[in-house]
Amino acid sequence: MAAQGGATGRSARVRDLQPPEFQVYSAPTRPATRWKRWLRYLENYFQLTEVTDPCTKRAALLRLAGVELQELFDSLPDTGGASDYEKAASALTAHFRAQVNPDLEELTFRRARQQRGEAMLEFHWRLVGLASSCEFVDAAREIRMQVILGCRSDEFRTEILCKRGIPLESILGAARAWEQADELSAHLRRQLRVEEAAAQSLPPALEEARAAPTRGKHCTHCGGSGPHRNQCPARGATCGNCGKMNHYARVCQSRRRTHHR
C-alpha cells in the first residue's frame, strides 16, 4: 500500500510538471513565439522527469501538445521516424517560423509601451520576447531604443537622453533607482497626509468639550449665566467676602468670613 501511494504521488507530481496543450487554431496569434516558449517548457519537463530516450520524447511531444498539433504534424513533410525527436521538433519549428510576418512583428515591437505598474525591468524582458520574432540586425540596440521610447516617465526619458550613449544596463539600473525613489516619495506623502490629518483633529475629550453647548453655564465672577456678550457686571466690583476685586461674594472661592457678635 505504501509503495502504491508513493507511485500515485509521483504520478501526480509529474502531471503538475507537464506543459499545457499547445493551441494551434484556438489561439492563432503569434504562434512562432508561443511554440518556442512551449518547446522550452517541454525541454524543462524532460529534464525534471529525466526523460532522455528520443522515442519517448517524440511520443511525449505529440501526446502533450494536444490534438490540434498532432493533426498539424501529420500534414508536415520530413518529420523523421518514430525515434527521431529532434527532427519532429525542428519540422514544427520551421512550420511556425514560416508563418511569421516580419512587418507585423516589428510593428508590434515598435508599439510596445511600458504599462502602468510595470517595472522597467519587466518592460525590458517583454521587449526581449517581442524582439525574438523580429528580423533585427542589432536586436540589442533596438531593445535599448524601445526602452527609452516606451518608458512611461517623460522626465526619466529626458534624463536618459541627456546622457549620450548610456548603455542599456545603466538605463535599467537608473530606472530601478528612479522607481525606488518614487515608491519612497509616495510612501512619505501618504505618511505626511496621515500626520497632517491627525494634527488637525483634536483628542476625543477636547472634541467633546468644544462641541458641548455653552449656554446654561455660570460665570465664575458674577454667578450669572455665561458667557457674557458684553462686560461682566462684576468687573470692577469688590468682593464682600475677601475684599478682592472683580467678583461677587456669592462666587468667592476664598474661605467664608465668620462674623462674631
Side-chain angles (χ1 to χ4, degrees):
M1 292 294 291
Q4 183 178 358
T8 302
R10 284 193 297 273
S11 298
R13 287 194 295 272
V14 168
R15 285 195 300 271
D16 291 339
L17 296 173
Q18 293 176 358
E21 289 188 0
F22 184 78
Q23 306 297 322
V24 179
Y25 307 113
S26 53
T29 57
R30 302 180 60 80
T33 301
R34 291 189 297 104
W35 170 250
K36 183 178 179 180
R37 186 185 305 119
W38 190 91
L39 199 58
R40 187 168 64 249
Y41 293 159
L42 182 66
E43 293 292 346
N44 291 337
Y45 169 74
F46 288 154
Q47 185 175 2
L48 291 170
T49 55
E50 300 180 351
V51 175
T52 58
D53 177 60
C55 184
T56 304
K57 291 173 69 174
R58 179 185 172 105
L61 182 154
L62 298 176
R63 172 66 179 83
L64 296 176
V67 176
E68 289 185 357
L69 188 127
Q70 289 184 43
E71 293 176 350
L72 170 65
F73 182 80
D74 290 340
S75 67
L76 297 179
D78 196 21
T79 57
S83 61
D84 199 339
Y85 165 74
E86 294 295 340
K87 203 163 189 177
S90 297
L92 287 165
T93 299
H95 169 78
F96 289 120
R97 187 177 296 161
Q99 295 183 343
V100 172
N101 183 334
D103 294 335
L104 179 60
E105 296 296 333
E106 183 170 342
L107 179 61
T108 302
F109 177 85
R110 300 294 182 198
R111 295 180 63 185
R113 296 293 184 271
Q114 185 183 13
Q115 302 300 311
R116 183 182 299 276
E118 182 181 36
M120 182 65 81
L121 188 59
E122 295 172 335
F123 177 48
H124 163 255
W125 285 117
R126 183 157 62 87
L127 290 175
V128 170
L130 294 174
S132 65
S133 299
C134 300
E135 298 178 351
F136 291 137
V137 176
D138 189 348
R141 181 182 183 280
E142 299 293 344
I143 291 171
R144 174 185 175 276
M145 291 304 300
Q146 195 62 31
V147 164
I148 298 173
L149 176 65
C151 70
R152 285 182 56 83
S153 173
D154 293 335
E155 189 176 354
F156 179 75
R157 183 184 302 107
T158 301
E159 180 179 321
I160 293 302
L161 291 174
C162 289
K163 301 176 181 178
R164 183 176 179 180
I166 180 173
L168 176 61
E169 293 75 11
S170 299
I171 294 176
L172 297 177
R176 181 55 186 155
W178 185 283
E179 290 165 352
Q180 289 176 338
D182 188 60
E183 291 173 4
L184 179 59
S185 297
H187 173 72
L188 292 176
R189 286 194 298 270
R190 290 192 298 268
Q191 187 176 14
L192 182 60
R193 285 196 294 268
V194 171
E195 292 175 353
E196 288 176 347
Q200 292 174 0
S201 62
L202 295 174
L206 293 180
E207 285 283 2
E208 292 177 4
R210 187 174 68 173
T214 57
R215 293 296 178 186
K217 291 187 176 181
H218 296 285
C219 176
T220 57
H221 297 281
C222 68
S225 298
H228 301 291
R229 293 184 178 179
N230 299 313
Q231 181 174 292
C232 177
R235 184 176 179 82
T238 301
C239 176
N241 179 57
C242 67
K244 295 180 180 179
M245 302 288 290
N246 299 324
H247 67 274
Y248 294 152
R250 61 185 177 184
V251 294
C252 182
Q253 301 298 315
S254 300
R255 181 178 297 179
R256 294 285 179 179
R257 291 180 181 177
T258 56
H259 299 281
H260 300 283
R261 294 182 179 179

